[in-house]
Amino acid sequence: MWARLLVGVGGSGLGLRASRGGSLRVAGAGCAGKRQQQQQQRGQASSAEAALKKTPLFDFHKEHGGKMVEFAGWSMPVQYKDSHIASHIHTREHCSIFDVSHMLQTKIHGRDRVKFMESLVVADISELKDNQGTLSLFTNEKGGIIDDLIVTKTDQGYLYIVSNAGCADKDSAHMKARLAEFKAAGFDVDLEYLDEALIALQGPTMARVLQEGLKEDLSKLTFMTSTLTTVFGVPDCRVTRCGYTGEDGVEISVTQSRVVELTEKLLANSEVKLAGLAARDSLRLEAGLCLYGNDIDESTTPVEATLVWTIGKRRRQNRDFPGADIIIPQIKAKTDRKRVGLVSTGPPVRQHTPVLSPDGKVIGEVTSGCPSPCLKKNIAMAYVDAAFAKNGTAIQVEVRKKAVPATISKMPFVPTKYYSG
């Protein structure tokens, strides 16, 4: 059976089908004869796959039954031998490894590194303690979101940044342009792009699994804190307690030459399985977490996206981040539309599904949606007119040209389990 993935990166969707063997097939082929069509598809798939970037775990994925698809210019596993639903439930009940090596990892060096980063993002970086991180946003002068990212203030004399693969070129160019301005003004700051692998271990049994490979007491590493340590004999791993599933978890930055070794040592524990993009997407949606290009982009502001909490108090008072003159007034005056959660039964709700008022007027659009494996009902994120954004409001969604009842719901849909100590 074909496993289908619709990928939205940077606002564009690409329909791909992953075969049992893991090859790519592009949805929507032409009208050539069947044999010619199959040959063309094989040739196109082979060429497309060859052009894709590969993580250090690419061969490992293939060896373990990974069905590979294109994601943000990378060849990534959408799922393995287990079904998407089985991987999702396993992560909620045990723990799973996700390859996230496609993400952009950056270090910001220099005496003026905090000033530099605060010129680009909305967070109060200076107030962070050593080895503490925060979710933040690159914003533009119009108040739009260029990307979301995690910024960690390490005790090693640099900031550690992880940002989205789909925005890697854009983010890099954005930081380099600001770096040139800072250097021209005499500031001490430098960028270093890391060539490390990155894996995420996510799920309620993560701590028990990982503790076996650490000398340090993992209970002292709380949500959004980070440490540089040895993991199962692999030195110089940056372990950050965070993730994209809503579960307790870590992301481990590790040298490319030893990521397979580390992954195999983690998989030696029966609690751990591999999981792919499909499970990652449904897990993050249950947790109410945004996907850049779907739920946030340069046409949405932090206020519309209900991400005001990412803006530091001092930054609001000083109005000294990009787009502050647009964003700060929105906090006080509210916005015409708002990102909300919604639930429904019946046919699944997907991206671009129209959201309707009870009398059938279009009041918004779904940005992400899927059947929830845990809740056994449809969940989605959407932007709707602010008048309809209150939790519990009865609305409709248009699925297959039919109006289906739905309800505005608070997020996360499934309670998050981040470890706070």
Side-chain angles (χ1 to χ4, degrees), residues 15 18-19 73 78 106 192 196 210 233 294 320 325 395 406:
S19 74
V78 63
T106 312
E192 178 189 357
E196 305 283 270
L210 190 62
N294 281 38
D320 60 351
D325 290 341
I395 54 165

Side-chain angles (χ1 to χ4, degrees), residues 298-353:
E298 293 192 42
S299 72
T300 54
T301 70
V303 183
E304 293 174 320
T306 62
L307 294 172
V308 173
W309 61 270
T310 64
I311 307 173
K313 182 178 179 181
R314 174 179 61 85
R315 308 303 306 279
R316 296 188 206 187
Q317 293 172 341
N318 295 345
R319 298 173 73 130
D320 60 351
F321 57 86
D325 290 341
I326 302 294
I327 295 168
I328 297 302
Q330 285 186 350
I331 296 175
K332 299 177 181 178
K334 309 302 180 184
T335 56
D336 294 334
R337 63 173 188 157
K338 184 179 179 182
R339 181 175 65 92
V340 297
L342 60 88
V343 296
S344 69
T345 56
V349 179
R350 304 294 187 187
Q351 186 186 20
H352 303 309
T353 297

Side-chain angles (χ1 to χ4, degrees), residues 173-245:
H174 187 54
M175 288 189 286
K176 284 179 179 178
R178 186 56 54 89
L179 179 68
E181 295 174 5
F182 262 61
K183 283 187 170 294
F187 290 108
D188 177 28
V189 62
D190 279 296
L191 296 177
E192 178 189 357
Y193 296 105
L194 303 186
D195 197 24
E196 305 283 270
L198 188 66
I199 57 174
L201 184 65
Q202 302 283 302
T205 60
M206 177 281 298
R208 177 155 53 90
V209 171
L210 190 62
Q211 186 61 72
E212 294 178 3
L214 295 175
K215 291 182 179 179
E216 297 87 349
D217 182 358
L218 192 58
S219 68
K220 295 180 181 179
L221 190 74
T222 54
F223 182 59
M224 296 305 293
T225 61
S226 184
T227 187
L228 199 61
T229 187
T230 297
V231 183
F232 285 103
V234 180
D236 302 321
C237 293
R238 177 155 294 281
V239 179
T240 305
R241 202 152 194 169
C242 65
Y244 197 47
T245 64

